[in-house]
Amino acid sequence: MAATTTKLKTIGSYAAIGDSFTEGVGDPGPGDSFLGWADRLAVLLADQREEHDFRYANLAVRGKLLDQIVADQLPRAKALAPDLVTFCAGGNDIIRPGSDPDDVAERFEAAVADLTGAVGQVMITTGFDTRGVPVLKHLRGKVATYSAHVRAIADRYDCPVLDLWSLKSVQDRRAWDADRLHLSPEGHTRVALRAAQVLGMEVPADPDQPWPLLRPRGSVDVTRDNIQWAREYLVPWIGRRLRGESSGDHVEAKRPDLLPL
């Protein structure tokens, strides 16, 4: 399915809210910070304006659940009142055992309704197709259900929708970080390009362009990689869940104000 696009409007300010995906985890930046698709989209938007005539805030914090994002980030985004807000949330809720995508979507819609009345435009985001992701592939049905809700919400509130499910290029393992839960720099770049397309912009590269061919991997290589991944990433992730901890504990938003870019 082709990406849904909207007619490009003049965007002079942009605020991003969400979790690790929007914070940019997996795409290292200066020092201990991350870049990510939202930062990269902000650069593309800034390029449409005169120098220093664009402002950008990124309020996203890794590990946050939908209700935490709504409580902590949404009021700040409303107060900033930018021309554009990107709102991606619910993924961390969906992957929790026993979660109900219908319930998460209902709470997400309430937040979208609140946000659309206070800012210029709200772009919302579907989930990724997880069929090739270890551990998460068994949640594919829940992610698909939630993504269908997101598209319906977008229709009801006239929101552009960043449909990640249909972005085939991010189904390649090179689009993902070593932890297999966050995008790599190239993955973030492709999402940023698709987001710009959704906003009606001309982009410098096709986000769905094919990846270079790779040498086929043997079963021994795959098994070794899976064992190493489980030891380095999966076990600590499960441990944090059992202890009630979040990767975002004690993490502050990297760009809490609308600053020139």
Side-chain angles (χ1 to χ4, degrees):
M1 183 176 66
T4 302
T5 59
T6 187
K7 185 178 180 180
L8 178 63
K9 300 177 181 178
T10 301
I11 297 173
S13 55
Y14 163 38
I17 61 178
D19 53 27
S20 59
F21 169 59
T22 301
E23 184 186 349
V25 175
D27 187 5
D32 294 327
S33 68
F34 294 100
L35 294 174
W37 71 272
D39 287 18
R40 295 175 183 277
L41 173 61
V43 171
L44 293 172
L45 289 168
D47 286 345
Q48 306 291 310
R49 310 276 297 189
E50 296 293 329
E51 189 174 4
H52 306 306
D53 188 34
F54 178 82
R55 295 175 301 142
Y56 169 55
N58 190 317
L59 310 177
V61 175
R62 69 198 77 167
K64 296 303 181 182
L65 300 171
L66 171 59
D67 290 346
Q68 294 172 315
I69 293 167
V70 170
D72 300 336
Q73 300 175 31
L74 191 141
R76 180 61 180 161
K78 290 170 61 179
L80 293 173
D83 296 331
L84 172 69
V85 169
T86 55
F87 182 20
C88 179
N92 288 326
D93 299 74
I94 295 299
I95 65 176
R96 293 203 164 201
S99 63
D100 180 355
D102 298 328
D103 172 67
V104 178
E106 185 175 339
R107 289 183 281 123
F108 181 77
E109 180 166 3
V112 170
D114 186 23
L115 193 56
T116 53
V119 304
Q121 187 177 53
V122 180
M123 176 188 286
I124 57 179
T125 308
T126 73
F128 293 96
D129 186 345
T130 60
R131 62 180 149 181
V133 184
V135 179
L136 299 184
K137 61 185 177 182
H138 72 283
L139 299 174
R140 189 179 184 223
K142 291 173 67 174
V143 177
T145 299
Y146 185 63
S147 295
H149 279 302
V150 168
R151 295 186 193 97
I153 293 166
D155 288 342
R156 287 194 286 272
Y157 294 90
D158 194 26
C159 296
V161 56
L162 176 55
D163 188 351
L164 300 174
W165 188 279
S166 69
L167 186 58
K168 300 300 184 184
S169 62
V170 295
Q171 294 174 12
D172 188 286
R173 62 185 175 88
R174 287 168 288 184
W176 294 87
D177 188 43
D179 67 4
R180 305 184 185 181
L181 294 172
H182 300 101
L183 293 175
S184 66
E186 179 66 18
H188 278 286
T189 298
R190 289 177 181 247
V191 169
L193 291 170
R194 175 51 55 85
Q197 285 182 331
V198 170
L199 292 171
M201 296 169 58
E202 295 290 333
V203 295
D206 178 7
D208 241 344
Q209 63 183 321
W211 293 80
L213 293 178
L214 278 177
R215 176 182 61 85
R217 303 169 72 228
S219 59
V220 173
D221 292 333
V222 172
T223 300
R224 182 176 60 247
D225 287 351
N226 286 343
I227 292 172
Q228 180 179 349
W229 168 76
R231 181 183 301 118
E232 189 170 351
Y233 298 105
L234 179 60
V235 171
W237 182 78
I238 293 174
R240 287 196 302 272
R241 291 296 177 272
L242 293 175
R243 294 190 299 272
E245 297 175 356
S246 167
S247 58
D249 289 345
H250 314 298
V251 175
E252 301 291 334
K254 64 181 180 181
R255 195 179 176 96
D257 294 301
L258 285 173
L259 300 174
L261 193 64

